[in-house]
Every structure is written in structure tokens, then in C-alpha cells.
Amino acid sequence: MNLKRVTTLAVLATLILSACAVQPPAQPAQPAQPEQPAQPAQPEQPAQPAQPAQPEQPAQPAKPFAGITINAITFSGPQIAEPMQRRGKEFSELTGATVNVVTVPFADLYQKILNDFATGTNSYDVVVFAPQWLVDYVEYLEDLTDRVNAAKDLQWEDIAPFFRDFSSTYNGRIYTIPLDGDFQMVYFRTDIAQQLGLKPPKTWEDYVAFAKAVSEAKLTTDDGKPIYGSCIAKKKDAQSYWMVASFAAAFLQSQGTGQGAFFDLETFKPLFGNNEAFARALTLYKETTQYGPPDEINLDVGDTRGLWTAGQCALTVDWGDIGTLAIEEGSKAKDKTGAVILPGSRQVLDRTTGKLVDCTPQLCPHAIDGVNHAPYAAFGGWSGAINKASKPEVKDAAFAYLSYMNQPAQSNVDVTIGKTGFNPYRVSQFENLDNWLKAGMSEQAAKDYLGAIKASLNSPNMVLDLRIPQNNYYQGIVLDGAIAKFLAGEQSLEDTMKEIEQGWEEKTNELGREAQLNAYRATLGVKR
């Protein structure tokens, strides 16, 4: 029920109550009976006037969702959960709805949501998740297309086309509301680069050389803590498998977004497998561990971000969060944080031979100065969806809640706050520097930060995240598990590549190669 209808009904109810409350005029005194003197007209009890209190009490026109509870789920953060809870309280004050936000560890989120849907438990009305999982959830989600088209406050066309398409749309219908925009990029300490005469890395070999130079310089912070050459979150069962793909992408995809970086488009054979290009990427990835914190393989993104703001990292691979965390109060990296598009490679995979070969204009048509960049839209950006099994009035409230968080008045602020985990996804957020300057970024830092994201978003060789059925199994279980053993020294490079390829092939054969191939091809034509 919308606000206009509630107000209309309230006015009608008031009129009806008022009409019923008015008393008829006082009747004239009856003639006195001889035996009974005329009774006085009871001056102490005059005719009761209309009740004035009723018209002065509108029927709660400002609380359209009073009494409605929205149960939402996301990961335990505090990123993502923090703005959901904070904005939920504001939404409650405005509308009367109650918003309960349930959080679970990231490693459990995918299965927790899927189990709740598949078993018909339906504990959650709103789910906020990685958009690549949409393919496994879509049958349980409310189609939001008509609502979105009618919601002018969303300013839907201001959301960058990639996020409207990849993050929100499946088979031409809208199922999620974007709350975040995600690309991975490289951050570097500008002061350390100047001190050591280093340049921002253009290739992954440059990245390793930069990290090595810092490590060998044995730099320390003002309070005597070591500065590490590179800090990359590599913890198992967290989000580290996206960092692996960031390293591998430039070696595996060179012909443009439509070529894909995960599978061969003809055979659906894994490119994350036994070939020279993937081997080179994994070798460089593991080498960075030599120049990182002693326990790097047990660090998640929260840990590495803390090290960055403490001034203890010279390089890192991360989403947009570092840029905003670096300007928060107490950060030792403020005005010292540079950002660049993910490094690339001068050599790429020849898919016909499985060999690593030098870039040529034919193999790398989008190369810049001979370097093939393949910026990775890792994750894609947290997005909110609505359970189609929820009650109609709850769906109305849930859509209003997601819309409230997405609207520019709220999102333009939240994307500038590091602790939210929300990164820019609206066109206006990239074009207008005012919000970033108000948040504490210098003009140069804002231009570098937004420029790196825009360069990624506009790259003709941007790599799309994997969005096929059970993609979480391919990446979150097989890839993540094998890489953890590789980094820990528990198995060789060859065995690691073999384990990944075999694990992916087994799942493909289980689900059907042709079906998986068709699903993969369908995702590669995403609008940008």
C-alpha cells in the first residue's frame, strides 16, 4: 500500500468519525405535566459537541510501513553490514518498518542463502550478495523490473551500464539493486616510490620488482614498524581467490572482454589449468609472499587494509576500499596513496598451443606500449535482492529499503566512507569530485583513485567475473583450496594447476559441458 493511498484512507476515516461524533440540536423542553414539574433542560449536561480530538489526529500518514519487519542477510563485515544497519535505522524512523540485519562469515554466505531458499525456510526477505551468484539464486528472487522502471528516485540511468547489466540483470530482467561497484586495482605508496626512485608498476614483473626493492631497503614507519614491499590478502575461505584471478587475467585474456579469461570458448577447457601462462601468473603471485608480512597467507582483506592505513605496506591489490580508508582519521597513508589500473603482461597465452608468447598486434590488439592490461571486475559489487516468497507488503517495504540505500542522497556519501565497503558505481560519482573532496581526499588523490576505476571500467579488455551455475564451487572451493596449499608449500606448482583443472572439469562434466559453455558465452556480452 503506498503513502498516497494511506493518506487518502486516513482522511476518509477522519471525515466518517467526525460525522458520527456530531450530536443533533437540543430538543425543546417538553410541556410540564401536572403531576410532574417540568424538568430543567439539564444545563449541567448540554448537548455534547462534536469530538474535536478526532480530526486533530491523522491516521499515521508518515509511517507507511509501520508494523512490517524486513529480515536481511549479508556477510559479517563490518563492511556492507555497517551501512545496511545504519541506513536501516534511518529507514525505520522514516517509514515505521523494522530492519533486522543478520550477518554470517563470508565463507558461509553463499550456501547459507541458497539453503534457505532451496529448503523453503525463507528466513530472509532481503539478501545482499555477490552478483555472480545471481545465476544460482534467480529462481527464488522477485523480478524487480517493473518496480525499478517506476522508481524515479533511483535515478537508474545514473548507475553505470556495467553495474546495471552485470550486477542487476539476468536474461533481460532486473533482479537486484546495486549498492556497490567493484574493480580490483593496485595501490602504491607515492612517498616511498619517490624516495626509492620507483615507478607505478605497469606489469606484474614490475610489481614484484617494486615489492622486492622496498623489502631490501628495510624501511620502517615513524614508530619503528617494518614496511612490507607488498601486502595481499591470501587467507583461505575469505576473498583471496579474486586476487589470484587479478594476477592471471592479463596472461589469459588479450582479445577483449568477449574472449573471457576463465574457459576456452570452443571446448570449455579451463584456462586456469595446466598451461604456461597460468603457471607464470601463479609463480609471480607466490613470489610476492617473500616481500609481505610473515603471516600473509593467513591475512584477509581486513588485515591488509589495517596494515595499509598503519603505513606498513608499499603495494597492495584490493578493491576501491583502500582509497577511502586511506583518508580516514588516524591513517598514516593519507595523501600518500596512489592508484593505478591492474598491471598487465607483455606475454599472453596462445590458446592453440598452450604456450606463453610475446604480445603482437594480433594477439594483444588493446595493448598499451606493448603491455596487455586486463582489469578485473572482481566480484562486481554487492547487490540487494528480494525473496519472491515474502509477503506482498514486506516486498514493498524491502524494495523501498534497498531503494533508499541506493539513491544518490545516501550512496554519494557512503561510497566515500572506507568502513562501508561501498565503492562508486554511479556515473555522477565518477564525474563530481565535490563529495570526495568533502570526505578528505586531495584533488590529485581523487583523480588518481577515480581515474584507475574509470580506466578499468572503460577498458575494451576488461575481464568479467565468472557467472555460471555453481561458480562458487569453481572459485571458492576448488581454486581457493588448491592455491592455499600452493602458498603454504604443501604442493608443487604443477600439482596445483592439475588439481584446479581436474576439479573444474569434474564439476563441468557433472553439470553438463554444453550447458555450462552456453551459460558462459551468454555472460560475456555484458553491456558496459
Side-chain angles (χ1 to χ4, degrees), residues 129 136 184 217 253 340 385 497:
F129 60 95
D136 291 332
Q184 289 206 330
Q253 178 182 295
V340 292
M497 294 189 296

Side-chain angles (χ1 to χ4, degrees), residues 55-370:
E56 296 178 3
Q57 295 181 1
Q60 300 180 347
K63 303 289 185 181
F65 301 124
I68 294 176
T69 296
I70 303 167
N71 292 312
I73 185 172
T74 192
F75 94 117
S76 49
Q79 300 87 6
I80 316 306
E82 186 277 331
M84 287 180 64
Q85 292 163 340
R86 172 167 47 85
R87 295 302 187 186
K89 291 179 181 178
E90 296 172 0
F91 183 75
S92 179
E93 293 173 359
L94 290 169
T95 68
T98 298
V99 180
N100 293 326
V101 180
V102 176
T103 63
V104 298
F106 179 80
D108 300 331
L109 184 61
Y110 167 84
Q111 200 62 49
K112 181 80 171 178
I113 294 173
L114 186 60
N115 288 346
D116 190 71
F117 284 149
T119 60
T121 306
N122 295 317
S123 304
Y124 312 110
D125 307 299
V126 167
V127 290
V128 176
F129 60 95
Q132 65 177 146
W133 300 342
L134 178 59
V135 64
D136 291 332
Y137 294 165
V138 68
E139 65 181 291
Y140 306 106
L141 301 180
E142 180 80 355
D143 185 335
L144 303 179
T145 308
D146 293 341
R147 293 178 187 266
V148 167
N149 290 338
K152 294 182 180 180
D153 289 343
L154 276 177
Q155 298 185 33
W156 193 251
E157 294 304 311
D158 183 44
I159 298 171
F162 170 74
F163 301 114
R164 292 202 312 265
D165 193 358
F166 181 83
S167 298
S168 302
T169 306
Y170 188 79
N171 285 341
R173 306 296 293 178
I174 299 170
Y175 290 92
T176 78
I177 304 298
L179 303 173
D180 170 40
D182 280 332
F183 276 90
Q184 289 206 330
M185 48 193 173
V186 160
Y187 297 91
F188 67 99
R189 281 280 296 274
T190 54
D191 57 329
I192 292 176
Q194 183 176 14
Q195 179 183 345
L196 299 182
L198 301 171
K199 295 181 179 181
K202 292 184 178 181
T203 68
W204 286 113
E205 286 83 1
D206 292 343
Y207 183 101
V208 172
F210 190 124
K212 182 179 180 181
V214 173
S215 182
E216 291 177 345
K218 299 188 182 305
L219 303 177
T220 60
T221 64
D222 292 341
D223 53 359
K225 295 178 181 178
I227 297 177
Y228 305 109
S230 170
C231 300
I232 300 175
K234 295 176 178 174
K235 183 178 180 180
K236 184 179 180 292
D237 294 329
Q239 301 176 56
S240 62
Y241 51 88
W242 277 292
M243 281 68 169
V244 177
S246 284
F247 268 73
F251 294 93
L252 300 175
Q253 178 182 295
S254 61
Q255 295 287 308
T257 299
Q259 186 187 29
F262 292 95
F263 293 93
D264 182 88
L265 288 180
E266 299 301 323
T267 65
F268 205 64
K269 181 179 179 180
L271 302 178
F272 281 52
N274 190 18
N275 63 70
E276 292 182 358
F278 190 50
R280 179 62 176 159
L282 291 188
T283 299
L284 290 169
Y285 182 68
K286 185 173 184 177
E287 187 176 349
T288 64
T289 310
Q290 299 176 31
Y291 314 120
D295 58 343
E296 188 179 49
I297 64 173
N298 294 313
L299 302 183
D300 62 20
V301 290
D303 298 319
T304 54
R305 291 168 183 174
L307 287 170
W308 186 271
T309 56
Q312 289 190 255
C313 302
L315 284 171
T316 191
V317 179
D318 206 330
W319 288 277
D321 307 68
I322 289 288
T324 48
L325 287 168
I327 61 174
E328 289 194 339
E329 184 177 354
S331 170
K332 296 182 179 180
K334 186 174 183 178
D335 296 328
K336 301 175 183 178
T337 298
V340 292
I341 192 173
L342 283 178
S345 175
R346 297 183 185 277
Q347 293 185 306
V348 297
L349 176 67
D350 182 338
R351 297 190 181 187
T352 61
T353 64
K355 301 295 184 181
L356 185 64
V357 299
D358 292 338
C359 267
T360 65
Q362 293 73 33
L363 274 177
C364 306
H366 307 295
I368 300 173
D369 297 330

